[in-house]
Amino acid sequence: MSAESMDSMEARSHRIVKILLRSGLLVAAALMLAGVVVKLASGDDLALAVSFDRMFGGNIDIGDRLMSIGVFVLALTPVARVIALIALWTLQRDRRFAITATVVLAILCLSVVVGHAG
Amino acid sequence: MLEIGSVDVLLFAVVGIFAGALGSLVGIGGGLIVVPALVLIFDIDIRYAVSTSLVAVVATSSAAGSVYVGSGLANMRLGMTLEIATTVGGISGGLLATTISPSVLAGIFAGLMVLTAALQARGMWTSRGAAAVAGKTAAGGSEKSAAGGYEERGKLAGGYFDQAQGGFVHYEATHLPAGAGISYGAGVASGLLGIGGGFLKVPAMNLAMGVPIKVAAATGNFMVGVTAVSSLFVYIASGLVHPFLAASVTLGIVVGALAGTVAAARAPTNIVKLVLVVIILLAGAQMLLKAIGIDVG
């Protein structure tokens, strides 16, 4: 692959990452705002702490759910950066770093499981 | 359980606005403002304050990323390599926070605040202290080099355009194990205390690994969000995140950061920094007293 097409691939991946980050932030902010508004409007006195199973499953009111999912979407934005870099470095045939980024992604997935057990 | 009302949203959002504004203005923000404010003013359990701060760190990091990605200074290969250490550190820190007592945590945090205030004060007397640059890391305001920089493929090296030298300066990152060790520590600090950890990561790259300060600062920025997520997931899974608290503060941070960038040109940054250093010292003292069990109004 030529140096130019490597560079344009890189520039393209940067553009994609910026779009991903911006959209992720907007969606997260909208969800959080909506959740806060709903929570206040519902007249509920107490806000609860949530964990993953509550967030997507169980017994939780809509305001809390919107806010938690907003936080979750926000947390996914750095993950999206890591995934984009795995893709870029794979396409650039930079094996060492594609593997490195994959290891980081695996550790991030592990963090979801680890707290749960604790 | 947290009692809420529209007043509470506004109060938490105000905390966020301060943190966001100060972060854009002088580079000290995030955890150092959010955690003490929530603990001392609102009497919130420090672990919830820390998780809220982590959400804020992710928000500011991704916001900065949405602007600065691709500007070339950050060496993402280097950052990602060190992230293996920092994310493991982040998980360790998060787990540690769930096991140690809140008062001990508050005490450690108080120590951090005093340390930061001291570093900032020192940085103010020298023309370009590493603390000042690390402070900028927190805000996400990495200095954009006019012609940017590049990173080499297949190894930990790259270059950046140095105006003074009128050309690209090449660098190679060395002493990876040392850098990784310090990065692990930065990850633990991040997970335990809700901070970005830039003040450890930047010197780790610059001093231990021989990476130029501008590249280290930009790379540190890139790393901060990923690290925060690794511990944030642990907190979420452990049920230690308050979405209402996190949402209110984060929305405030967005507003504050925007206001801060607008005001940046006209703000007397040195005065703001001085006031901030004093506040951090006082708040740090109060945190320490609280940790010991004395409640001072």
Side-chain angles (χ1 to χ4, degrees), chain B residues 1-106:
Chain B
M1 307 295 152
L2 190 69
E3 294 226 359
I4 61 159
S6 11
V7 178
D8 302 281
V9 183
L10 288 175
L11 290 174
F12 295 140
V14 165
V15 171
I17 292 176
F18 262 112
L22 287 167
S24 318
L25 274 178
V26 297
I28 311 166
L32 281 174
I33 309 275
V34 172
V35 177
L38 291 178
V39 171
L40 296 172
I41 303 174
F42 300 93
D43 212 11
I44 288 176
D45 182 322
I46 189 170
R47 293 164 302 174
Y48 290 96
V50 166
S51 67
T52 302
S53 178
L54 286 172
V55 175
V57 168
V58 174
T60 39
S61 159
S62 292
S66 70
V67 175
Y68 292 116
V69 163
S71 58
L73 269 185
N75 189 323
M76 292 183 279
R77 284 169 172 78
L78 174 61
M80 195 63 78
T81 305
L82 292 176
E83 275 302 313
I84 296 182
T86 43
T87 47
V88 174
I91 296 180
S92 315
L95 285 177
L96 195 56
T98 61
T99 52
I100 73 177
S101 92
S103 344
V104 174
L105 202 47

Side-chain angles (χ1 to χ4, degrees), chain A residues 35 38-40 42-49 54 60-65 67, chain B residues 1-5 8 242-245:
Chain A
V38 167
K39 188 75 186 177
L40 291 176
S42 75
D44 239 355
D45 271 346
L46 298 174
L48 307 175
R54 270 177 77 239
I60 174 177
D61 77 49
I62 185 165
D64 282 327
R65 196 193 293 276
M67 291 186 285
Chain B
M1 307 295 152
L2 190 69
E3 294 226 359
I4 61 159
D8 302 281
H242 242 300
F244 184 79
L245 192 51

Side-chain angles (χ1 to χ4, degrees), chain B residues 7 22 36 68 86 127 160 180 184 187 200 260 266 278:
Chain B
V7 178
L22 287 167
Y68 292 116
T86 43
S127 50
Y160 71 101
Y184 173 79
L200 274 177
R266 282 167 277 173
V278 174

Side-chain angles (χ1 to χ4, degrees), chain B residues 71-73 145-151 158-171:
Chain B
S71 58
L73 269 185
S145 174
Y150 62 90
E151 59 187 75
Y160 71 101
F161 187 81
D162 188 329
Q163 230 126 33
Q165 306 205 16
F168 277 91
V169 177
H170 179 81
Y171 66 87

Side-chain angles (χ1 to χ4, degrees), chain B residues 231-256:
Chain B
S231 37
L232 181 58
F233 280 152
V234 174
Y235 278 86
I236 297 178
S238 309
L240 286 172
V241 175
H242 242 300
F244 184 79
L245 192 51
S248 314
V249 171
T250 305
L251 290 169
I253 293 229
V254 169
V255 173

Side-chain angles (χ1 to χ4, degrees), chain B residues 111-133:
Chain B
L112 172 73
M113 291 175 75
V114 173
L115 179 66
T116 310
L119 282 175
Q120 278 299 324
R122 222 172 125 251
M124 275 160 32
W125 299 124
T126 67
S127 50
R128 254 188 108 96
V133 184

